[in-house]
């Protein structure tokens, strides 16, 4: 299931062109395509640059864009593919409001969880209102008023709608905006296994997503993922493979296992020869003044040591347990909150600095020894950080850690000497997998094979599916009578696709030095016709009109570049906007009863094709 998928659409059911309806014919001069040589000054991501330069989007304010005609057409084609596959998987479309009362979010606790990301305001009647980033509460509220019996389930409902998120620093154009188009679906069940259960719907959505992204022409990987702020148990992300991706994916080259860094497991690591914690001290514990050193790199530079010789101690709070969780990893590693949660067996959150300080933690300078001083602490130590003896160096491990007071660290920390018998209390100290996985870590799925290491890839998340369970239904008291006439909370699934994000991700994945290279299925037009003579009475325009009609009858969308511009300008613009096929009509070609045919992916000049063969040639090129 977790393998890389190259776009390889089925020619019969996933054709890029439609044979059931006429394609659109549009002339350049009668639409708005404001191409530009330079990208906007704020554009950093290649998709932002090319979509802006190609006249697909135009900035209104930070993170908010107008979709110009070309951009709207691409967005619409992606949305239509999503709609077709969702319908085929048995889901029904509806539309919920963007505006909703904050009281709904208060029922699940997400009014506070969203924090400043939530667009929240008070209307003229002093009602606390928000613009939806997702719609779990709204759909659950709808369903609890409409569903009363198990006989009405299962159901899967979806919408394609604009969402809102008040990003502090919007960036990368459509990849991280304050307003974005999303498909969100929600399924409802009385049981997990068997026909009509959550697992059935989840698998159907998984297959539908594979179909959607394959039809969109994307190269993607499905990865195991953390549920994140949505909540729930199992989840998978669908990631577009691109070196410019903002997310790291870790894959096993032998088994195809793939996961994001938050979810990725680490295979069995070699245990230290003398076991954990054991090793004679390198010398007395030495306290060093480290002012103005807020981070690991600053401390390492001052003390002339390496991050791998630092112990990073992060403090969490487990509210249900009423305990502090102290997680310790090596300085070159990052604590994994999901793994901390699972090891603690309870929900955890980063400790509030003021509360932690009051309890006795010197935040920013915490050492493992803090667990000896503060009450109600569970310590979770990563395997790589629990080493007392360095087998490679043949001597005790050299550790630097916080001194448990502001602006001070200590050198030559020794686990056994400085922690003593506390390390042997299994109820308070656990050595386990606590950190994020990294490239080079042993694969967790290679059957113990030596030397099989995880490899890193970059990607952009375009879809995410979750098994929510009863997280929302229980909180909002959405219960129905089961077949035993017992009231039970309904089991839910949640399935999202970033429609506008998919558009931008495709550009990140598919472009060259000249511009965008659209997959045929989502290109704004399939064919661009470029007549050299745009006089309405010219032979070139006559042929352009006849060809566009024939192509349209075959289900292809056609753009005629009828501008009074030099050929070089037209060709550059055609490459920039990324139309899959360009037909150039000039006197030399017409003299041979032909046109010049060139695919966007072809280098150099095109080839002559007889006018009578053009429709067949274009259809073959478009798949």
């Amino acid at each position: 299931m977790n393998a890389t998928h190259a776009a390889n659409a089925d020619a019969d059911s996933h054709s890029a062109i439609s044979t059931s309806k006429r394609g659109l014919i549009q002339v350049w001069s009668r639409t708005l395509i404001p191409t530009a040589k330079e990208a906007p000054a704020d554009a950093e991501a290649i998709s932002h640059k090319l979509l802006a330069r190609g006249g697909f989007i135009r900035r209104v304010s930070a993170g908010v864009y107008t979709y110009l005609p070309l951009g709207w057409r691409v967005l619409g084609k992606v949305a239509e593919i999503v709609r077709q596959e969702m319908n085929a998987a048995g889901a029904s479309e509806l539309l919920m409001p963007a505006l909703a009362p904050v009281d709904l979010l208060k029922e699940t606790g997400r009014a506070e969880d969203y924090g400043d990301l939530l667009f929240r305001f008070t209307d003229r009647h002093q009602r606390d209102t928000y613009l939806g980033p997702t719609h779990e509460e709204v759909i659950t509220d709808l369903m609890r008023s409409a569903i009363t019996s198990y006989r009405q389930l299962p159901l899967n409902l979806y919408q394609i709608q604009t969402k809102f998120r008040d990003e502090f620093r919007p960036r990368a154009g459509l990849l991280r905006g304050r307003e974005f188009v999303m498909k969100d679906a929600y399924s409802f069940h009385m049981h997990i296994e068997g026909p009509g259960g959550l697992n059935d719907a989840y698998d159907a959505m998984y297959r539908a997503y594979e179909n959607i992204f394959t039809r969109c022409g994307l190269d993607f990987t499905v990865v195991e993922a953390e549920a994140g702020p949505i909540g729930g148990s199992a989840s998978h992300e669908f990631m577009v493979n691109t070196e410019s991706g903002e997310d790291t994916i870790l894959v096993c080259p032998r088994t195809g296992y793939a996961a994001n860094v938050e979810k990725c497991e680490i295979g069995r690591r070699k245990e230290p020869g003398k076991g954990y914690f054991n090793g004679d001290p390198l010398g007395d514990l030495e306290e060093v003044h480290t002012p103005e050193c807020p981070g690991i790199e600053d401390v390492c530079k001052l003390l002339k040591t390496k991050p791998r010789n630092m112990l990073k101690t992060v403090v969490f709070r487990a509210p249900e347990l009423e305990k502090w969780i102290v997680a310790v990893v090596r300085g070159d590693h990052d604590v994994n909150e999901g793994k901390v949660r699972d090891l603690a067996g309870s929900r955890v959150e980063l400790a509030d600095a003021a509360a932690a300080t009051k309890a006795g933690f010197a935040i920013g300078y915490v050492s493992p020894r803090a667990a000896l001083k503060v009450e109600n602490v569970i310590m979770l130590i990563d395997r790589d950080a629990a080493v007392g003896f360095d087998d490679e160096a043949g001597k005790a491990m050299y550790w630097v850690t916080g001194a448990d007071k502001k602006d001070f660290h200590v050198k030559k920390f020794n686990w056994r000497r400085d922690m003593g018998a506390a390390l042997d209390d299994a109820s308070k100290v656990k050595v386990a997998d606590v950190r994020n996985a990294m490239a080079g870590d042993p694969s967790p799925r290679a059957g113990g094979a030596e030397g099989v290491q995880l490899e890193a890839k970059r990607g952009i998340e375009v879809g995410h599916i979750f098994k929510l369970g009863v997280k929302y239904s229980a909180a909002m008291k959405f219960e129905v009578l089961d077949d035993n006439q017992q009231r039970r909370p309904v089991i839910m699934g949640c399935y999202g696709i970033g429609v506008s994000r998919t558009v931008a991700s495709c550009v990140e994945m598919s472009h060259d030095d000249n511009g965008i290279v659209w997959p045929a299925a989502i290109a704004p037009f399939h064919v661009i016709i470029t007549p050299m003579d745009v006089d309405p009475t010219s032979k070139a325009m006559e042929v352009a009109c006849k060809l566009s009609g024939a192509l349209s009858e075959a289900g292809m969308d056609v753009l005629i570049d009828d501008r009074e511009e030099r050929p070089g300008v037209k060709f550059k613009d055609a490459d920039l906007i990324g139309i899959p096929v360009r037909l150039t009509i000039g006197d030399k070609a017409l003299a041979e009863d032909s046109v010049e045919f060139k695919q966007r992916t072809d280098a150099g000049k095109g080839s002559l094709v007889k006018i009578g063969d053009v429709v067949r040639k274009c259809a073959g090129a478009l798949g």
Side-chain angles (χ1 to χ4, degrees), residues 178-192:
R178 302 169 77 210
E179 177 181 295
F180 51 97
V181 179
M182 179 178 171
K183 186 282 299 180
D184 49 323
Y186 309 91
S187 65
F188 304 87
H189 317 267
M190 289 306 298
H191 45 86
I192 295 175

Side-chain angles (χ1 to χ4, degrees), residues 16-33:
I17 58 176
S18 171
T19 57
S20 61
K21 62 180 181 180
R22 288 175 58 93
L24 174 73
I25 302 173
Q26 184 77 55
V27 293
W28 194 300
S29 65
R30 291 295 180 265
T31 189
L32 180 63
I33 311 175

Side-chain angles (χ1 to χ4, degrees), residues 446-513:
E450 289 292 329
V452 180
Q453 299 178 337
L454 292 170
E455 297 177 354
K457 298 170 60 177
R458 303 294 295 176
I460 300 171
E461 179 191 345
V462 289
H464 205 158
I465 58 178
F466 308 83
K467 293 182 181 179
L468 290 178
V470 298
K471 175 182 171 68
Y472 293 91
S473 56
M476 299 183 70
K477 297 181 173 55
F478 173 28
E479 301 174 338
V480 300
L481 291 173
D482 63 14
D483 52 359
N484 294 317
Q485 297 301 298
Q486 300 293 316
R487 297 194 68 81
R488 291 199 290 116
V490 171
I491 298 167
M492 294 173 58
C494 172
Y495 320 95
I497 288 177
V499 179
S500 51
R501 192 175 174 85
T502 297
V503 172
S505 298
C506 182
V507 178
E508 292 287 334
M509 180 202 80
S510 186
H511 65 271
D512 61 19
D513 292 341

Side-chain angles (χ1 to χ4, degrees), residues 183-351:
K183 186 282 299 180
D184 49 323
Y186 309 91
S187 65
F188 304 87
H189 317 267
M190 289 306 298
H191 45 86
I192 295 175
E193 303 289 347
L198 172 61
N199 288 348
D200 257 8
Y202 191 88
D203 291 344
M205 289 295 97
Y206 190 109
R207 292 190 297 270
Y209 275 42
E210 288 186 309
N211 291 342
I212 288 166
F213 296 124
T214 297
R215 288 183 62 187
C216 285
L218 301 178
D219 174 30
F220 64 97
T221 299
V222 189
V223 304
E224 293 183 13
E226 275 287 309
I230 297 294
S233 54
S235 76
H236 287 85
E237 289 175 344
F238 292 74
M239 312 284 290
V240 173
N241 299 315
T242 171
E243 287 301 314
S244 62
E246 60 186 0
D247 296 312
T248 299
I249 307 165
L250 294 169
V251 299
C252 171
R254 178 169 299 181
T255 66
Y257 167 80
N260 63 24
V261 292
E262 290 80 15
K263 182 68 174 178
C264 190
E265 303 167 29
I266 303 174
R268 182 174 295 178
R269 287 175 258 175
K270 184 179 179 181
E271 296 193 2
K274 293 190 177 184
Y276 294 114
F277 305 128
N278 299 318
D280 295 331
L282 286 173
D284 293 338
L285 197 63
E286 182 181 340
E287 190 175 275
V288 184
H289 188 214
T290 53
E292 306 300 326
C293 290
I296 293 287
E297 295 294 336
D298 302 295
V299 176
C300 288
K301 185 176 181 180
L302 181 66
L303 300 185
K304 295 181 173 58
T305 190
K306 298 178 180 178
R308 70 185 317 276
N309 292 107
M310 294 282 298
L311 291 177
K312 184 191 300 183
T313 305
V314 182
V315 182
F316 295 87
R317 183 68 177 166
E320 286 85 2
L321 300 177
E322 296 185 347
K323 289 184 180 294
W324 300 99
I325 309 294
V326 173
V328 184
V329 298
R330 227 167 57 184
D332 56 339
H333 294 154
D334 292 314
V335 173
N336 185 297
E337 187 171 330
K339 294 176 182 179
V340 171
R341 176 201 63 215
D342 294 343
L343 288 167
S346 172
R347 179 175 66 90
V348 298
E349 56 195 28
L350 275 175

